[in-house]
Amino acid sequence: MTPLALALSLALQAAPAPQKAPPPKPAAPAKTVSTPTTPEDLTAATRAWHEQRIQRLQSEEGWLTLVGLFWLKEGEQTAGSAPESELDFPAGTPAKLGTFTRKGNTVSFQPASGVQFTRNNAPFTGGELKTDEKGSPDVVKLGSLNFQVILRGDKLGVRVKDSQAQARKQFHGIETYPASPTWRVTARFEPSATPRTLQVPNVLGTTEEMKAPGTLVFTMDGKEYRLTPVEEEGSNQLFIIFADETNRDATYGAGRFLYSDMPKDGQVVLDFNRSYNPPCAFTRFATCPLPPRGNRLALRVEAGEKRYGDH
């Protein structure tokens, strides 16, 4: 296990103190769970789902293109590949890229002389950049490189992607467990009596407040287990961030993600065959949520994606 994965795994043991945060950003595009009627149908449906998942991951905007994340301090910071740059952009970018200026919760960028950018596919000569606080940040591009400003609690950062990133070029797929009906379980949904928020820790050492509509209760091998899902703004599905005992040796050390359809007649289908690795399994520049307290299952969920590489 890499130092990053080990650190994330240890972080699961204690959630940090709560703090206010903007609405959480979707972890990945969610797909409606189909209804396989035979083991063969389940295998085919899971394969099709995973192929779409890999296509998203490998796309020009997928997590494999992430090459940098820089947290901004108040005031001006120079950016570029030159050693004296305060924000050390990847090799191959101009030595002097430009200057970021943070004023409170606003960020502006002034390109260096002679460097021609676009913003949202239109020429950009400098100005304030819209963050991802409401889900649609400005995207500034230069060749294969692009960046956007992200807001995490009181932290503002510049997220950098490169469609020619080595991680994308060298991607070799993700090993999975064979699809099994055993891991497609029906859970009882116990709604919260009153509106509730859940403090979800993340790899930054902070927490995000997320809406928790209730609890999912399911049984495996005669034992009852519980998971608390959360709701993401603009999503019509439940998002489950969970850990289990396979994280020690077979799956990503910091846990995995799972989506499910909303409750119907008091029930929710949890298809653990569609459990997948968070972005932090592929890059140290992601800001992944971690399983909240209570979402560590005392069983081996031998379903879904396995560990990628040495993570």
Side-chain angles (χ1 to χ4, degrees):
M1 187 181 295
T2 64
L4 173 63
L6 178 59
L8 298 186
S9 182
L10 292 174
L12 298 177
Q13 305 303 320
Q19 72 175 54
K20 287 189 176 181
K25 313 303 180 294
K31 299 293 182 181
T32 300
V33 177
S34 57
T35 309
T37 57
T38 68
E40 292 76 16
D41 288 344
L42 178 63
T43 297
T46 303
R47 184 185 302 116
W49 172 85
H50 199 249
E51 287 174 353
Q52 292 179 349
R53 142 76 169 163
I54 296 300
Q55 288 175 5
R56 294 193 299 272
L57 188 62
Q58 287 185 291
S59 73
E60 288 195 356
E61 293 301 319
W63 290 108
L64 295 174
T65 67
L66 198 55
V67 294
L69 177 61
F70 306 101
W71 298 110
L72 298 173
K73 60 185 180 182
E74 193 73 12
E76 295 185 353
Q77 290 122 100
T78 58
S81 58
E84 64 271 18
S85 298
E86 293 172 274
L87 306 184
D88 186 18
F89 270 61
T93 56
K96 294 183 178 180
L97 199 67
T99 302
F100 289 91
T101 302
R102 175 178 179 176
K103 293 182 179 180
N105 280 335
T106 65
V107 175
S108 60
F109 177 69
Q110 182 58 52
S113 177
V115 185
Q116 298 181 341
F117 290 90
T118 63
R119 178 177 61 182
N120 305 331
N121 299 317
F124 178 60
T125 58
E128 186 175 325
L129 299 177
K130 184 170 63 172
T131 75
D132 70 344
E133 180 179 10
K134 296 183 179 179
S136 300
D138 287 331
V139 178
V140 180
K141 293 186 178 182
L142 175 68
S144 64
L145 196 78
N146 75 74
F147 62 79
Q148 58 186 256
V149 179
I150 65 172
L151 178 66
R152 298 293 181 268
D154 61 355
K155 299 167 71 72
L156 279 167
V158 180
R159 171 175 283 165
V160 186
K161 293 184 177 183
D162 186 351
S163 61
Q164 299 301 310
Q166 287 301 307
R168 185 184 183 212
K169 291 181 176 180
Q170 297 172 0
F171 180 70
H172 53 266
I174 308 171
E175 186 179 358
T176 65
Y177 288 99
S180 169
T182 299
W183 291 107
R184 193 173 192 275
V185 302
T186 299
R188 182 176 76 254
F189 178 69
E190 297 181 348
S192 300
T194 58
R196 176 188 172 202
T197 59
L198 188 68
Q199 298 294 334
V200 180
N202 59 44
V203 300
L204 303 178
T206 62
T207 61
E208 295 182 4
E209 289 186 353
M210 305 180 77
K211 295 179 181 178
T215 304
L216 302 173
V217 185
F218 65 97
T219 302
M220 289 292 296
D221 296 328
K223 296 185 69 174
E224 187 175 271
Y225 300 93
R226 306 172 77 87
L227 288 169
T228 301
V230 294
E231 294 179 328
E232 298 175 304
E233 186 174 339
S235 174
N236 62 352
Q237 292 195 307
L238 297 176
F239 180 35
I240 301 108
I241 310 163
F242 75 98
D244 70 275
E245 293 182 355
T246 66
N247 299 157
R248 300 173 182 173
D249 54 18
T251 60
Y252 184 55
R256 290 178 289 171
F257 294 168
L258 177 66
Y259 281 93
S260 74
D261 288 338
M262 288 293 183
K264 183 177 181 180
D265 299 327
Q267 295 184 325
V268 170
V269 173
L270 296 176
D271 192 347
F272 287 102
N273 296 294
R274 301 189 181 194
S275 305
Y276 68 96
N277 294 325
C280 288
F282 311 100
T283 174
R284 69 181 188 276
F285 301 118
T287 57
C288 303
L290 298 167
R293 290 187 181 278
N295 275 16
R296 173 172 285 276
L297 299 173
L299 81 162
R300 293 182 63 85
V301 179
E302 295 182 335
E305 289 186 349
K306 294 185 178 181
R307 187 171 296 172
Y308 179 73
D310 59 353
H311 287 273

